[in-house]
Amino acid sequence: MTKKRKIYLVLLVLCLSLTAQAETKWDYITNRNEVRVGWGDQLFETLMWHNPTYTYTTMPTSYQRTYHENYRYHQHLWAEYQWRFKHWLSFGGMMDMSEVGWDDITRNGAGMEIGRNNNRYFYNIVIMPTVRFTYYHHPNVNFYSSLGVGMDINGGTETNAKGRHTDVGAAINITVFGVSANYQRWFATMDFGGMTALKNTNTIYMALSRMINVSVGARF
């Protein structure tokens, strides 16, 4: 290949790259709205709240103890709206809901069940504004990171120190790395990060929950 042809080839590749980039940015300008719904894991909840590792079986039958058993994990379900201010910057809001249920089982000293309450649970509802930084653009794939700060509403059958069933704390969600696979205006994503919610250092509702999230959505 001659030097002149090499120069033409480089110029052609450069023009195609600039055209593809310009079209991608134009798509983001014309499709400023984005809505997605997703699922997130409950790894933190699973590690923190689980069936007891030991049950008393050698105590007198008059002895009674209540155990938390049969935990049920209702994973994080969430929805998010984003508005694209720039092709690389967008703002929006997210709502996330999750729940954990269990049975309170009263057993005697021999480990036999003598009572059960199977309607025990707690939930977390997180509402927060979000900001996203998209640092790699392609018609089919995007890479991004995001940050959200808001509040967590914690409630359920348990009560706090004041006897209330509902409490409010701060919440933060960080997406360290996210990838979006795009087809026209439809897309699917996978996010890696974590959500933390707490009232104070002694009352923690979540700590790096939602480490993996998947979602589907549309841009319009």
Side-chain angles (χ1 to χ4, degrees):
M1 183 180 293
T2 65
K3 183 176 180 180
K4 186 175 182 180
R5 288 184 177 180
K6 288 182 179 180
I7 294 175
Y8 286 147
L9 181 60
V10 170
L11 291 175
L12 177 62
V13 172
L14 181 60
C15 289
L16 291 175
S17 300
L18 292 174
T19 302
Q21 181 70 3
E23 290 175 350
T24 303
K25 290 183 179 181
W26 177 250
D27 289 340
Y28 277 83
I29 293 174
T30 56
N31 298 314
R32 289 182 178 272
N33 300 282
E34 175 185 303
V35 177
R36 61 174 178 161
V37 293
W39 169 96
D41 70 87
Q42 276 193 323
L43 177 61
F44 170 78
E45 291 86 342
T46 305
L47 295 175
M48 288 298 297
W49 294 282
H50 49 76
N51 292 332
T53 57
Y54 180 78
T55 301
Y56 288 98
T57 58
T58 58
M59 300 289 286
T61 55
S62 59
Y63 174 85
Q64 294 184 8
R65 184 182 178 93
T66 300
Y67 301 87
H68 300 329
E69 301 183 31
N70 302 326
Y71 275 92
R72 301 171 291 277
Y73 306 97
H74 305 282
Q75 310 293 313
H76 290 266
L77 298 177
W78 53 274
E80 184 179 24
Y81 167 79
Q82 287 272 322
W83 182 78
R84 302 186 184 286
F85 180 71
K86 296 287 186 179
H87 71 279
W88 57 272
L89 178 66
S90 58
F91 301 96
M94 179 179 67
M95 174 179 287
D96 175 278
M97 296 176 289
S98 62
E99 182 180 304
V100 175
W102 69 92
D103 298 343
D104 274 352
I105 300 178
T106 303
R107 299 182 183 276
N108 62 19
M112 297 181 60
E113 180 181 333
I114 59 176
R116 178 188 291 256
N117 181 352
N118 58 6
N119 190 30
R120 304 287 289 171
Y121 68 95
F122 72 82
Y123 63 83
N124 285 293
I125 299 176
V126 174
I127 303 172
M128 60 174 54
T130 57
V131 57
R132 184 187 305 161
F133 306 94
T134 304
Y135 46 83
Y136 176 77
H137 297 277
H138 187 275
N140 302 119
V141 179
N142 300 330
F143 296 154
Y144 57 87
S145 298
S146 67
L147 173 67
V149 179
M151 70 173 184
D152 173 52
I153 303 172
N154 175 270
T157 56
E158 297 183 302
T159 58
N160 60 15
K162 297 182 179 180
R164 299 173 181 171
H165 288 279
T166 306
D167 218 339
V168 177
I172 181 171
N173 184 70
I174 299 175
T175 298
V176 178
F177 174 76
V179 56
S180 172
N182 314 310
Y183 176 72
Q184 297 179 359
R185 67 176 55 191
W186 305 99
F187 64 92
T189 70
M190 179 173 287
D191 299 352
F192 301 91
M195 175 179 284
T196 298
L198 71 166
K199 183 176 182 180
N200 50 52
T201 55
N202 296 320
T203 307
I204 299 175
Y205 306 122
M206 289 180 283
L208 293 181
S209 187
R210 276 179 40 124
M211 296 185 69
I212 299 176
N213 292 278
V214 294
S215 74
V216 293
R219 301 183 179 102
F220 55 93

